Amino acid sequence: MELSAAMPSPSTESAPTERADARGVLEAHGALARRYRQVRERTERLLAPLSSEDCQVQSMPDASPAKWHAAHTSWFFETFVLAPRLAGYRAFDASYAYLFNSYYDSVGPRVARDRRGLLTRPALAEVLRYREHVDRHVARLCAEAELPPELCDVLEVGLNHEEQHQELFLTDLKHALAQNPREPAYAPAPEGPRGPRAPRAPAAPLAFVPYAGGLVEIGHAGAGFAFDNERPRHRVFLEPFELASRAVTNAEFLEFVRAGGYAEPRLWLSDGWAERERGGWSAPLYWREQDGEWSSFTLAGRRPLDPTEPVVHVSYYEAEAYAAWAGARLPTEAEWEHAASGVAPDGHFQDSGRYHPAPAAHDPSGRPAALFGDVWEWTASAYAAYPGFEPWRGSLGEYNGKFMANQMVLRGGSCASPAGHLRASYRNFFHPHARWQFSGVRLAR
Ligand SMILES: [Fe+2]
């Protein structure tokens, strides 16, 4: 399997002399091996609070069991790294190629996506042994002095892939737990200023930050990992625009609900209105009203709706209808990236252990606050190839490019994204009816 020459090559960043070259290569391998262990251990920490029954359930076709995520991320390393590159490697179990392939048609057939919850065998303990087996062999590979740069690149893809699945693990698990009448918590919310019992300041007033527009550049450039769909960097013309200083809050979205926003077809796209009818939507996913009080289900259990937090678990259609009601619109992905360029991608991510968006603090610089983390922000942009897009070569070309139809781009990351996984050029994408991701709304005009 070959990857695009545009991919980063950690082991090519070596010093000029031969000896320094060798040391640089070994250090790069060491850094990659350490990062590999950190990412893999994070998956196992996420699994730790769950029973094997929790790990088995599949609540809908879009959501996969936790056990499947744990196995599939290992299958990825086995298929794209170990099998082609480690001499004498023997698969842990030949049937796993069929059980844990996700969507790689060029690799082979697989269990249908909506039947992953039926895989009661292998048991969770066996999947954990599979993970150990893969880890042991990747460690052996990383100990080799001659690790070709393109192999380091594929390992880095595998690590970013596993980070994406760590977020999906949480969103899929949340959906599964929400189906249980007892609405069990995954993890107690942390204490402290970001905990649910911390005193609430009112959300910063909504302001709009102006941008002059003009000819700007978007897309990934330079060193560091990026997915193929973020390239190439290219020029885009933007009209002058304004971007909201923060995401829409629960209090603001509740006004839309109370004003009859879900019952007013003139606010909705035709497909959105149909989805609303099909799904019986009257509020964001996981919201519930009882005796005039609203609550929402979180990974720490159900709790009263916090008016200051960003609204989360809305589809593109709901985001779009809200924007129409508010006299605004959603930003395009080029506008969003232009506003986010030069902003450090730090924010409130998975690592906080809160697994729920937090109220946005005012950004003293006057720039839009909390562009990264908390909630993915729906954009008005259809997910499509950038001019000059080249998918990665080989089977990994199926990673992103083949999904470039009928989905919308989201930007910025969420409270379920691992810290360090994101950047301004990062493009997430989901179908416009999807609500189970940590997706919210930032307005533009
Ligand atoms: Fe995957």
Side-chain angles (χ1 to χ4, degrees):
M1 173 201 48
E2 296 169 322
L3 282 175
S4 157
M7 287 205 63
S9 306
S11 65
T12 57
E13 292 168 8
S14 44
T17 69
E18 204 173 291
R19 186 176 292 175
D21 263 355
R23 194 167 60 232
V25 167
L26 283 176
E27 280 168 8
H29 292 187
L32 192 57
R34 271 194 304 284
R35 179 161 144 67
Y36 177 88
R37 279 197 303 278
Q38 285 164 357
V39 171
R40 297 285 284 173
E41 283 168 10
R42 192 191 296 130
T43 298
E44 279 135 36
R45 277 200 304 279
L46 289 170
L47 281 165
L50 300 179
S51 68
S52 51
E53 290 87 347
D54 290 331
C55 292
Q56 180 62 41
V57 67
Q58 178 171 27
S59 56
M60 64 168 169
D62 279 343
S64 299
K67 183 175 78 178
W68 188 89
H69 286 297
H72 162 71
T73 46
S74 305
W75 167 86
F76 193 96
F77 286 111
E78 185 171 66
T79 303
F80 295 119
V81 175
L82 295 176
R85 298 293 185 154
L86 184 63
Y89 178 75
R90 290 172 60 148
F92 180 78
D93 184 313
S95 73
Y96 285 14
Y98 181 75
L99 302 185
F100 300 124
N101 178 1
S102 52
Y103 54 65
Y104 293 86
D105 290 307
S106 62
V107 172
R110 60 204 172 275
V111 168
R113 192 154 170 261
D114 59 353
R115 297 176 70 80
R116 291 172 184 168
L118 302 179
L119 299 175
T120 51
R121 314 291 171 88
L124 178 63
E126 190 72 359
V127 165
L128 295 178
R129 276 196 291 280
Y130 178 40
R131 290 184 66 86
E132 278 172 25
H133 171 89
V134 167
D135 291 350
R136 209 165 46 246
H137 286 86
V138 169
R140 252 185 60 198
L141 193 67
C142 287
E144 287 183 8
E146 302 286 326
L147 203 55
E150 63 272 20
L151 186 55
C152 296
D153 296 344
V154 183
L155 268 165
E156 193 53 51
V157 174
L159 293 171
N160 277 270
H161 170 255
E162 184 139 350
E163 288 175 335
Q164 291 182 318
H165 275 275
Q166 288 165 354
E167 172 150 8
L168 293 171
F169 168 97
L170 287 169
T171 53
D172 294 357
L173 176 71
K174 182 172 182 177
H175 192 266
L177 295 176
Q179 311 313 308
N180 187 319
R182 293 170 63 168
E183 294 191 311
Y186 164 64
E191 299 298 329
R194 294 221 155 187
R197 281 176 290 281
R200 288 278 166 255
L206 185 70
F208 281 87
V209 180
Y211 292 85
L215 202 57
V216 305
E217 288 193 357
I218 66 162
H220 186 79
F225 176 83
F227 285 104
D228 54 359
N229 63 4
E230 298 169 58
R231 299 175 196 269
R233 192 161 172 86
H234 61 284
R235 290 171 301 169
V236 177
F237 182 77
L238 300 179
E239 296 292 345
F241 69 99
E242 296 182 325
L243 189 66
S245 56
R246 57 162 172 75
V248 170
T249 62
N250 283 332
E252 288 162 344
F253 204 88
L254 187 56
E255 278 182 54
F256 168 74
V257 173
R258 287 181 167 148
Y262 278 84
E264 176 48 79
R266 284 171 296 184
L267 295 172
W268 292 70
L269 294 168
S270 171
D271 285 354
W273 186 251
E275 283 293 339
R276 185 209 64 91
E277 292 206 308
R278 208 173 1 256
W281 298 348
S282 57
L285 183 63
Y286 306 131
W287 280 28
R288 183 191 297 157
E289 193 247 306
Q290 199 166 9
D291 304 325
E293 296 296 320
W294 286 88
S295 64
S296 72
F297 178 67
T298 74
L299 279 166
R302 181 163 290 281
R303 58 183 175 80
L305 196 68
D306 182 330
T308 67
E309 289 169 354
V311 67
V312 65
H313 297 300
V314 291
S315 64
Y316 171 79
Y317 296 132
E318 289 159 291
E320 214 272 344
Y322 176 87
W325 175 79
R329 61 176 174 83
L330 301 178
T332 66
E333 66 169 321
E335 289 171 336
W336 192 99
E337 185 170 330
H338 177 58
S341 65
V343 176
D346 45 41
H348 170 227
F349 300 116
Q350 182 193 102
D351 310 62
S352 74
R354 190 171 187 266
Y355 308 131
H356 197 69
H362 175 68
D363 189 320
S365 72
R367 301 184 83 153
L371 283 163
F372 295 96
D374 292 302
V375 291
W376 286 103
E377 299 176 9
W378 284 108
T379 73
S381 300
Y383 179 51
Y386 284 165
F389 168 66
E390 280 186 60
W392 287 331
R393 288 196 287 273
S395 293
L396 284 183
E398 293 191 56
Y399 200 113
N400 282 310
K402 71 181 189 179
F403 300 109
M404 289 175 173
N406 304 322
Q407 307 207 48
M408 302 303 286
V409 173
L410 302 97
R411 292 300 196 110
S414 84
C415 56
S417 313
H421 181 68
L422 298 157
R423 57 204 154 262
S425 59
Y426 195 103
R427 308 173 80 197
N428 197 359
F429 50 93
F430 277 95
H431 289 106
H433 62 267
R435 311 170 91 200
W436 92 110
Q437 294 302 303
F438 284 92
S439 46
V441 192
R442 186 186 296 266
L443 298 176
R445 60 187 190 191

